[in-house]
């Protein structure tokens, strides 16, 4: 089982910690299932960069970065070395631990 803490760059949104999260799910799926807003224009098929996030702890607990994902991260707003796409971060089976994820301020590119 996993524990995931979602933090937000957008002001006024408190962090959310989810416990007892089962593997074989993407961070995008987990966020959406728990009413955490994470945009996903392509529907989670690695065809855009709107589910961009930063993994600040536990990167070894999700699938490795693919070349395709890396190409889309390059198109994201404010990419960093720890940038990933939520749709591609699948929790690995047979492992457990804590992940910390930061969601960028999504109002930057949505005109909100």
């Amino acid at each position: 089982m996993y524990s995931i803490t979602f933090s937000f760059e957008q002001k006024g949104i408190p962090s959310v910690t989810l416990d007892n999260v089962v593997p074989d799910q993407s961070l995008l799926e987990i966020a959406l299932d728990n009413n955490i807003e994470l945009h996903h224009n392509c529907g989670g098929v690695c065809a855009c960069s709107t589910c961009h996030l930063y993994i600040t702890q536990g990167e070894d607990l999700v699938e490795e970065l693919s070349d395709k994902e890396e190409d889309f991260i390059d198109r994201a707003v404010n990419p960093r070395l720890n940038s990933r796409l939520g749709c591609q971060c699948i929790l690995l089976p047979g492992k457990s631990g804590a992940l910390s994820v930061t969601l960028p301020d999504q109002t930057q590119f949505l005109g909100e």
Side-chain angles (χ1 to χ4, degrees), residues 21-90:
V21 179
V22 297
D24 292 322
Q25 303 179 80
S26 72
L27 292 179
L28 173 61
E29 292 170 315
I30 294 163
L32 296 177
D33 287 348
N34 289 280
N35 297 316
I36 298 170
E37 184 66 34
L38 180 56
H39 293 283
H40 54 287
N41 289 349
C42 74
V45 298
C46 196
C48 71
S49 62
T50 55
C51 67
H52 170 238
L53 48 77
Y54 307 113
I55 296 183
T56 55
Q57 176 189 341
E59 188 170 338
D60 60 321
L61 301 174
V62 297
E63 290 187 0
E64 291 186 22
L65 179 71
S66 70
D67 290 338
K68 182 177 181 182
E69 180 183 1
E70 189 171 17
D71 289 343
F72 281 103
I73 288 172
D74 289 341
R75 303 173 194 176
V77 176
N78 299 324
R80 300 178 189 159
L81 291 176
N82 62 340
S83 289
R84 293 294 304 267
L85 299 180
C87 68
Q88 298 302 295
C89 292
I90 310 295

Side-chain angles (χ1 to χ4, degrees), residues 1-7 15-19 27 30 53-63 80-84 89-92 95-103:
M1 297 293 230
Y2 290 91
S3 174
I4 305 172
T5 300
F6 288 90
S7 300
S15 296
V16 174
T17 300
L18 306 173
D19 293 314
L27 292 179
I30 294 163
L53 48 77
Y54 307 113
I55 296 183
T56 55
Q57 176 189 341
E59 188 170 338
D60 60 321
L61 301 174
V62 297
E63 290 187 0
R80 300 178 189 159
L81 291 176
N82 62 340
S83 289
R84 293 294 304 267
C89 292
I90 310 295
L91 296 177
L92 295 171
K95 290 193 172 195
S96 64
L99 284 90
S100 294
V101 176
T102 301
L103 303 187

